[in-house]
Amino acid sequence: MKEIIRTFYSPDKNDIPPFYLEMAGISYCDGSYHIYRPKSAVFCMEYIFSGSGTLKYLGKEYHPKAGDVYMLEYGCDQEYYSDAREPWTKIWF
């Protein structure tokens, strides 16, 4: 798997912006790509350029593929993985 990651400005602890990006990147997944974040400390939004995979979120299972977007909220279990035969290429923040 290959990833390109960019980090962004992190505001001062006393500064409370309405929205800011901490990290963004592009993932070129392989068949072993699997993310699991129990009670995640991050909000995650991803756009799938190509491939397919599985997303388990809030007790349901989804199968995002090329052209799909998903958003996962802070504080929830986040689990997703790419298909071994058609792995994802995706952009995320």
Side-chain angles (χ1 to χ4, degrees), residues 30-31 52 82-87:
D30 60 22
S52 62
S82 65
D83 181 82
R85 290 168 294 175
E86 275 190 275

Side-chain angles (χ1 to χ4, degrees), residues 25-87:
I26 300 173
S27 296
Y28 302 92
C29 303
D30 60 22
S32 66
Y33 181 81
H34 188 152
I35 300 293
Y36 177 60
R37 293 185 201 101
K39 295 182 179 49
S40 180
V42 299
F43 167 88
C44 180
M45 182 171 174
E46 304 196 344
Y47 171 77
I48 311 298
F49 284 113
S50 62
S52 62
T54 301
L55 165 65
K56 295 179 179 180
Y57 184 64
L58 299 177
K60 294 186 180 180
E61 184 172 295
Y62 305 91
H63 298 281
K65 61 187 180 319
D68 290 343
V69 172
Y70 57 83
M71 296 182 289
L72 309 175
E73 63 185 300
Y74 165 89
C76 295
D77 292 351
Q78 300 176 0
E79 182 175 17
Y80 48 95
Y81 47 92
S82 65
D83 181 82
R85 290 168 294 175
E86 275 190 275

